[in-house]
Amino acid sequence: MAGASFNLDIIWEVLLRLPSKSIVQSRCVSKLFSSITTLPYFISSFAARSYQSPSLLILLKSESKLFVFSLPQQQQQNHNSKVNSYSMLCQRHSFFDYQSVHGLICVEKSGNPQIWNPTTRRFSTLPKPSRRWRDGSMSFLGYDPVDSTYKVLSMPCGGYRPRQPRALTLGDVAGRWRVIEGVPEHTPSRHGALCVNGVLYYFAAPSTTEHYTNQSLACFHVRSEKLSMIKVPWNLVSGFCFLVHCLGKLVCVVSKGEDINMWTLEDAEKHEWSHKHLCLPFPRDDPVSKTRFTLNGVNGAGEFIYVPLALGNPFHIIYFDPKGNSFRRSVVEGVVDDQYRRQNGLGNKPLHIESTYSNHVETLMSL
């Protein structure tokens, strides 16, 4: 018995050191491997390893095909890092959420929420939040690190009333959506959601017509399922708004050209924000790579990550340090070269990026 236990320990350690692709493939090779790699403790151990080296995930779509590129988030100058890539079939008219949450991404397909795991390459369709929501739904994914629980928050689109949000726990056998009571009626914005330390934040307004002038920040506590609103000192007329988690604090970056305003949440209960104004030391319409750059997130060093709107060969990533008001540029070569275009039937057309995810980690989570 001791020998058998020792062998299992060795198998565990060997599997845990394998790349994610090999672990997923091993599940088809052996029932023993499958049973080990689907254990919650193995999945959490693998996730802890993945958190040590987050990646930048880039998606391209061409008709019904999805192209996925993963590269180390912390790119160094004059160092061409390895880029992992694959392609898979994807339904048309699928809307990919703007955030990767503990390795999973929420996708909307014809108003139906889905969950995509880029590591296992699987889409899982969730039950409809309500048959009465004929105009579809808008959904966000949240994660509670205390219970290691994922939840989806969904709200109706169109003119359906009442606009009561509903929550679903991933992995719930019953698949029941719960109505979130006592919430001020509001219209969410698809862009800019962010889940940090068990709290899901997203932009909201009393109605669709007020989105540009009367915004609030909605806060959904994933564990308690309580939803509240925080008053904000900006509106969409001020510029393009993007939420980031920078050095332990929630920051809304409002961009208008090279002009940016950073609003840092100091006290959520008192609705207190601090402000800092900066001017980017580089043009967002880049003359070097001949594309436009957009803010996508923040790395562990507190640098803002700016990614291109289209992929070329090579393509550039810009890291901006708001403290020193300085930047550095990283060049990634050989990803979408002529050979890759020919092999995948991409021709010479511009390769517009569908979505980019900073701080993406791999997960073996199965639904």
Side-chain angles (χ1 to χ4, degrees):
M1 293 294 291
S5 176
F6 177 72
N7 289 335
L8 283 176
D9 289 342
I10 293 177
I11 294 173
W12 177 291
E13 289 299 326
V14 170
L15 288 171
L16 196 57
R17 293 173 186 271
L18 291 175
S20 59
K21 181 180 178 180
S22 300
I23 294 177
V24 173
Q25 290 174 339
S26 75
R27 293 176 173 178
C28 303
V29 174
S30 163
K31 289 184 178 181
L32 175 61
F33 294 171
S34 179
S35 64
I36 291 175
T37 59
T38 53
L39 288 172
Y41 185 66
F42 185 93
I43 292 174
S44 62
S45 298
F46 178 85
R49 186 193 78 177
S50 182
Y51 262 103
Q52 296 175 6
S53 53
S55 61
L56 190 66
L57 198 70
I58 300 174
L59 308 185
L60 298 177
K61 278 180 72 178
S62 179
E63 297 181 352
S64 59
K65 208 168 185 179
L66 182 68
F67 299 90
V68 184
F69 304 90
S70 175
L71 59 153
Q73 181 165 277
Q74 193 63 17
Q75 293 286 318
Q76 302 297 327
Q77 285 180 312
N78 303 319
H79 177 71
N80 202 26
S81 301
K82 180 181 179 182
V83 178
N84 295 314
S85 66
Y86 67 85
S87 62
M88 60 183 294
L89 293 177
C90 174
Q91 293 179 324
R92 295 186 181 188
H93 312 300
S94 296
F95 176 84
F96 288 79
D97 197 4
Y98 288 92
Q99 62 164 347
S100 167
V101 182
H102 202 70
L104 300 183
I105 295 171
C106 189
V107 182
E108 294 276 357
K109 168 60 181 172
S110 302
N112 258 22
Q114 297 179 325
I115 300 298
W116 177 47
N117 186 339
T119 305
T120 61
R121 309 182 187 184
R122 289 188 176 180
F123 286 88
S124 300
T125 301
L126 303 180
K128 285 186 176 182
S130 173
R131 293 181 179 178
R132 297 180 180 179
W133 295 2
R134 296 181 179 178
D135 293 327
S137 60
M138 190 180 300
S139 302
F140 304 102
L141 182 61
Y143 179 77
D144 172 36
V146 177
D147 294 333
S148 301
T149 303
Y150 295 87
K151 291 183 182 179
V152 178
L153 184 71
S154 190
M155 281 152 282
C157 293
Y160 183 82
R161 296 291 187 276
R163 286 184 173 276
Q164 288 182 302
R166 301 193 178 197
L168 173 73
T169 302
L170 296 189
D172 181 9
V173 178
R176 295 176 181 173
W177 289 87
R178 300 173 295 280
V179 176
I180 308 299
E181 303 283 357
V183 180
E185 189 162 301
H186 64 281
T187 302
S189 172
R190 282 195 183 275
H191 181 80
L194 181 69
C195 187
V196 178
N197 298 328
V199 181
L200 171 65
Y201 300 93
Y202 61 90
F203 300 122
S207 66
T208 304
T209 56
E210 295 177 274
H211 252 308
Y212 283 89
T213 57
N214 190 12
Q215 272 205 333
S216 296
L217 188 65
C219 311
F220 176 68
H221 294 262
V222 178
R223 195 178 190 194
S224 65
E225 298 188 358
K226 291 182 179 179
L227 201 156
S228 58
M229 297 289 177
I230 298 177
K231 295 178 182 178
V232 301
W234 70 81
N235 55 51
L236 286 184
V237 177
S238 308
F240 177 77
C241 301
F242 194 87
L243 292 175
V244 297
H245 188 233
C246 184
L247 302 178
K249 292 188 176 182
L250 183 74
V251 179
C252 179
V253 182
V254 184
S255 304
K256 205 166 189 178
E258 284 72 53
D259 197 62
I260 65 173
N261 289 281
M262 294 173 54
W263 294 95
T264 302
L265 182 61
E266 302 292 353
D267 192 317
E269 292 185 1
K270 296 180 180 179
H271 308 244
E272 292 181 352
W273 300 79
S274 62
H275 174 257
K276 183 178 182 179
H277 172 261
L278 291 170
C279 186
L280 291 177
F282 60 89
R284 290 183 60 201
D285 288 309
D286 186 43
V288 178
S289 58
K290 298 181 180 179
T291 187
R292 185 170 177 80
F293 282 87
T294 183
L295 176 63
N296 186 257
V298 176
N299 63 18
E303 294 176 308
F304 289 10
I305 305 171
Y306 282 83
V307 297
L309 293 179
L311 280 191
N313 183 41
F315 68 89
H316 297 217
I317 301 172
I318 294 178
Y319 297 85
F320 168 62
D321 177 12
K323 282 190 174 182
N325 200 30
S326 59
F327 75 99
R328 60 187 178 89
R329 183 187 297 265
S330 178
V331 181
V332 184
E333 297 182 289
V335 177
V336 286
D337 55 17
D338 292 341
Q339 181 180 358
Y340 185 88
R341 284 174 172 270
R342 286 195 303 271
Q343 289 176 344
N344 292 280
L346 296 173
N348 295 318
K349 62 184 179 182
L351 299 179
H352 298 292
I353 293 177
E354 174 75 14
S355 299
T356 308
Y357 302 95
S358 59
N359 299 298
H360 176 73
V361 296
E362 295 184 309
T363 178
L364 299 172
M365 171 79 174
S366 298
L367 301 180

